[in-house]
Amino acid sequence: ALLDHIRGTYPHWNASGGADHLWPLTHDEGACYAPAALRRATLLTHWGRDEARPNGSSEYHLWRVKPHARQMYGWQRCYDPCKDVVLPSWKRPEAFSDSPFMRANGTAEAQGEARQRDVLFYFNGVLGTTQQLQNYSFGLRQQLHKLFGHLAQQGSVVVTDQKTSRYSEMLSRSQFCGVLPGWGWSGRMEDAVLHGCIPVLLQDRIHAPWETVLDWQSYALRVPRRQMPRLLEILRQLPSERVKRMQGALRAVWPRFTYLSVFIAESARTKAPAASLPTDAAELAESDAVATLLRLLEARLRLRRARRDV
């Protein structure tokens, strides 16, 4: 109905077939459930699954909505990395209150931060251990738990589904943090980056936020599913200098996974005290997720004009 209204009321969509429009998709499986008519639009999503003809990833998956499935974007693919954008999910400052980036000046972690990270690998979330959740997370979280769940008591490797009020603290104490899907998207990438914990992507063919925009390999690792049994070996073999460089890269990119400008603007609008933010939050907001998206779109517009003028 919304698309019909746009088509019938304004000339812009029909002029380009939607190619110059942005369309946010916030379903658990992102744009998989977008109408196929949105195929030419730039889709803003948090679920970067780039397989062709993807099978559903959740109990709500595409094939349960026949005969309408063929009319959906996800019948062919859920995400096109050449035009769509995977954005960070919304995280309020309270969600990363114990992050070293939130202490005083956000551009500089406290000295000795690396020495405080006494947990090698951390993942806390639903592990799909019940019969009802056997298809959850493509079985990835179940596999991780089977391999390493028994090590949680040792302290340096924690894979658990036990909720804790110390979640932010634990992320800040960890060197590496697991990034795995849930019923589709998961905010674990943002959790890791916002706490200076090196993200370990354990999700084949699924792009993380900004993966096609930033030099993600400078601050994150991707471990293929077939190598998950060797996960701890891989992490322990990383040279300490590389780990330090990745932690340094996280200090540079973390604002791009926040919406600091929104929090600051809302505080000014309501005249309410802002949440506890770094003292240089206004400066950091100049490179937050909103600013990053606008710069990306500006760069794409310049490229389009350059190609048109050739």
Side-chain angles (χ1 to χ4, degrees):
L2 177 58
L3 180 57
D4 290 340
H5 171 74
I6 293 174
R7 282 170 164 168
T9 308
Y10 307 101
H12 314 294
W13 183 278
N14 295 330
S16 66
D20 53 1
H21 285 62
L22 307 178
W23 202 291
L25 280 303
T26 58
H27 188 277
D28 276 4
E29 294 189 54
C32 292
Y33 287 79
L38 301 183
R39 186 165 286 118
R40 296 195 65 197
T42 296
L43 305 184
L44 307 179
T45 181
H46 40 239
W47 180 233
R49 192 173 180 199
D50 71 344
E51 294 174 289
R53 295 297 302 275
N55 189 16
S57 63
S58 80
E59 61 183 4
Y60 311 109
H61 64 65
L62 194 61
W63 317 120
R64 294 195 181 190
V65 291
K66 294 177 180 179
H68 308 291
R70 292 180 180 274
Q71 303 169 25
M72 295 180 176
Y73 187 66
W75 182 256
Q76 294 298 328
R77 65 193 312 169
C78 298
Y79 159 75
D80 182 349
C82 294
K83 69 174 183 67
D84 300 332
V85 184
V86 184
L87 296 175
S89 59
W90 177 270
K91 298 282 184 178
R92 294 188 59 82
E94 294 85 349
F96 48 102
S97 59
D98 284 327
S99 167
F101 302 140
M102 297 293 279
R103 300 171 193 160
N105 189 312
T107 57
E109 277 185 299
Q111 291 297 318
E113 170 62 27
R115 292 192 297 272
Q116 298 173 12
R117 295 187 180 271
D118 57 334
V119 178
L120 175 67
F121 179 84
Y122 184 73
F123 182 84
N124 188 326
V126 176
L127 295 172
T129 54
T130 66
Q131 182 68 22
Q132 182 184 7
L133 298 177
Q134 60 180 335
N135 295 322
Y136 182 71
S137 187
F138 305 102
L140 286 163
R141 296 193 188 194
Q142 295 89 326
Q143 182 179 355
L144 185 72
H145 176 254
K146 184 176 181 180
L147 289 167
F148 309 115
H150 65 285
L151 300 176
Q153 297 301 320
Q154 299 179 17
S156 66
V157 177
V158 179
V159 176
T160 181
D161 57 2
Q162 299 299 308
K163 292 184 178 181
T164 175
S165 60
R166 299 170 55 216
Y167 182 62
S168 182
E169 175 194 336
M170 291 300 298
L171 290 166
S172 297
R173 286 176 49 194
S174 303
Q175 292 185 46
F176 300 95
C177 293
V179 177
L180 300 90
W183 281 135
W185 81 285
S186 166
R188 294 304 191 273
M189 180 72 175
E190 294 87 325
D191 287 344
V193 172
L194 294 177
H195 288 84
C197 183
I198 297 171
V200 181
L201 281 67
L202 297 162
Q203 47 184 37
D204 298 350
R205 301 298 301 273
I206 300 171
H207 281 195
W210 300 136
E211 188 161 335
T212 60
V213 178
L214 303 178
D215 179 17
W216 69 270
Q217 292 178 317
S218 69
Y219 58 83
L221 294 172
R222 185 177 288 281
V223 177
R225 182 171 190 167
R226 67 179 184 277
Q227 294 186 11
M228 193 186 295
R230 296 185 53 243
L231 174 62
L232 300 185
E233 175 188 351
I234 291 171
L235 299 182
R236 286 169 175 149
Q237 288 180 350
L238 286 174
S240 60
E241 286 304 313
R242 182 181 176 188
V243 172
K244 290 179 182 178
R245 287 197 302 270
M246 297 179 80
Q247 291 171 335
L250 284 171
R251 288 195 290 273
V253 303
W254 80 271
R256 300 190 186 279
F257 289 78
T258 73
Y259 292 85
L260 289 173
S261 61
V262 179
F263 300 130
I264 294 172
E266 183 64 8
S267 176
R269 184 187 71 82
T270 61
K271 296 182 172 56
S276 179
L277 296 174
T279 55
D280 56 347
E283 178 183 348
L284 294 169
E286 296 177 2
S287 58
D288 74 349
V290 177
T292 302
L293 176 61
L294 292 176
R295 289 170 189 163
L296 170 63
L297 296 175
E298 180 184 11
R300 288 185 176 184
L301 180 60
R302 289 200 302 267
L303 180 59
R304 180 187 296 183
R305 288 172 176 170
R307 287 173 173 172
R308 183 188 60 195
D309 296 339
V310 171

